Amino acid sequence: MENKDTKEEEATKYWLHYFRRNDVPELTEAELDQQSEYMYRALMQVPELHTLKARRFNYPLISAAAAVLLIVGVAVFYFNSHQIVESNQQVKAIQNVVVPGRTAATLLLASGQRIELSSASNGKIAEQTGVEIFKAAQNRLVYRVSSAKAETAQTNTVLTAKGEQYSVDLPDGTKVWLNAASSLKFPTTFTSKANRIVELIGEAYFEVAKDKSHPFIVKTDKQEIKVLGTHFNVSSYPDEQLTKTTLLEGSVEVVSTNSHTSKATLRPGQQAQLSRKTLKVKEVDLTESMAWKNGDFNFENEEFSSILNQVSRWYNVEITDNGNHDGLKLTGMVARSKSLSTVLKSLERTAKVKFRIEGRKVTIIE
């Protein structure tokens, strides 16, 4: 016989799967109310859930899931653009803003030449000593060593602005995905180097090509990450309190470079969290750390300020918080392809705040 925790977990997984579907049909308001009531009653048939008090949300299809998700004890929001009914007035207020981010970046060559990758045609876009640079299909930047002259390394940088992301194949075959408002500095060849060293500002996911003779090192302003061949994510934004390194497979060593030098070796599923004073290692949900690369926002008991930062970077908006929301944490998931208004409306209903959108400026007014 299944125990209480198993039943609750299965119920939660079912409703989360339902909410993540992109093919949920548009319904009339009456039909939405009917479906909401139907799901609420269905959940209440699970005996262990009878004692839970579900908060009835204004937007449809959410109240049933909330009955299950209140178990975690933090505010929870799950949202889909098909599940939010907007008034004509609300629609008009957001028509001039704000589309999600796009696949774009700028390549800065050692010579100082700047190439806007979103407007460049596929094929070879530049050539440096012993190295050819291509824009490949699916908007990917690829470096290829063309001759022995590549022993002479130059330094290039790929930059993404707010609202941009891009991917790069480095000269050694390492694959990198850059999140919004990030930069990656790297040499055009690693051949003559004892170590393969790159410098990161912002967030990136790495799939490092194996080379035991040449360790791969990622430098940020607060730490160094040393690997031989592995998959990991690094988030090191100047406006975040924590620098996070999350390991998916292999092994990495994280070394703090601040005045309180410390280090940690991670196993898959672990995350190093570096603050000004401490370096901690935690077991984490990898889907949350990798959500941005897979096209989602995924927050698990996340600080409200950090959520605002992520929204700001992806939609290229300035968000001003005029309230006091210290200690507020939220959990939720939404596709990054959804409109800014969809995300903000969900935050409004969950965190009990109110946003005002004026062009690319967003203000929390209560």
Side-chain angles (χ1 to χ4, degrees), residues 23-305:
D23 59 347
V24 179
E26 297 256 5
L27 302 175
T28 66
E29 190 166 356
E31 289 171 329
L32 289 169
D33 289 339
Q34 183 180 18
Q35 287 296 317
S36 179
E37 183 64 23
Y38 170 78
M39 287 188 290
Y40 180 79
R41 291 181 181 277
L43 272 179
M44 290 302 99
Q45 291 177 8
V46 180
E48 288 79 4
L49 298 182
H50 286 171
T51 58
L52 293 176
K53 296 181 179 180
R55 174 187 172 195
R56 300 302 300 275
F57 290 77
N58 291 330
Y59 50 102
L61 304 183
I62 301 300
S63 57
V68 177
L69 295 172
L70 280 172
I71 299 168
V72 301
V74 295
V76 181
F77 57 96
Y78 284 87
F79 33 91
N80 187 297
S81 60
H82 294 293
Q83 300 161 355
I84 296 179
V85 179
E86 298 175 333
S87 68
N88 290 335
Q89 181 179 1
Q90 290 170 324
V91 171
K92 291 178 181 179
I94 63 170
Q95 282 179 341
N96 62 333
V97 285
V98 167
V99 297
R102 63 193 181 116
T103 302
T106 300
L107 171 62
L108 179 61
L109 301 178
S111 63
Q113 180 184 358
R114 299 175 68 92
I115 301 175
E116 299 298 329
L117 297 175
S118 60
S119 58
S121 301
N122 286 357
K124 187 164 70 173
I125 59 174
E127 187 170 357
Q128 294 171 288
T129 305
V131 176
E132 295 178 323
I133 307 171
F134 295 83
K135 180 182 177 182
Q138 299 179 338
N139 292 304
R140 188 169 194 87
L141 188 65
V142 179
Y143 276 71
R144 295 177 186 169
V145 176
S146 59
S147 72
K149 294 180 180 179
E151 292 284 338
T152 303
Q154 297 173 282
T155 299
N156 290 352
T157 304
V158 175
L159 307 102
T160 57
K162 282 188 173 184
E164 297 180 346
Q165 65 180 33
Y166 216 81
S167 53
V168 186
D169 288 5
L170 296 179
D172 66 334
T174 292
K175 299 181 184 299
V176 185
W177 286 258
L178 273 180
N179 202 351
S182 302
S183 70
L184 183 72
K185 184 182 294 186
F186 54 92
T188 55
T189 179
F190 297 109
T191 305
S192 61
K193 304 292 184 180
N195 296 321
R196 297 173 287 167
I197 300 175
V198 302
E199 298 177 31
L200 173 69
I201 298 173
E203 184 167 20
Y205 169 67
F206 294 84
E207 292 185 355
V208 177
K210 293 182 179 180
D211 184 349
K212 293 182 179 180
S213 301
H214 301 88
F216 193 94
I217 297 174
V218 180
K219 289 186 175 183
T220 72
D221 64 334
K222 298 177 183 176
Q223 66 180 20
E224 290 187 3
I225 305 156
K226 183 178 180 180
V227 304
L228 297 177
T230 188
H231 298 182
F232 62 100
N233 191 80
V234 183
S235 178
S236 182
Y237 284 106
D239 57 355
E240 298 286 1
Q241 295 181 0
L242 295 177
T243 295
K244 301 177 182 179
T245 303
T246 310
L247 182 64
L248 281 78
E249 65 175 60
S251 177
V252 302
E253 181 182 73
V254 179
V255 180
S256 167
T257 55
N258 61 23
S259 57
H260 303 280
T261 302
S262 57
K263 64 181 181 179
T265 301
L266 302 184
R267 300 190 308 271
Q270 290 185 328
Q271 181 181 87
Q273 298 183 348
L274 176 64
S275 65
R276 292 182 179 179
K277 296 182 179 180
T278 61
L279 175 63
K280 296 181 180 179
V281 176
K282 296 179 60 176
E283 301 286 337
V284 295
D285 181 358
L286 295 179
T287 59
E288 178 189 355
S289 298
M290 294 309 304
W292 73 267
K293 177 181 173 292
N294 296 326
D296 292 318
F297 290 110
N298 189 346
F299 310 122
E300 181 66 35
N301 202 22
E302 187 82 17
E303 294 282 352
F304 187 60
S305 59

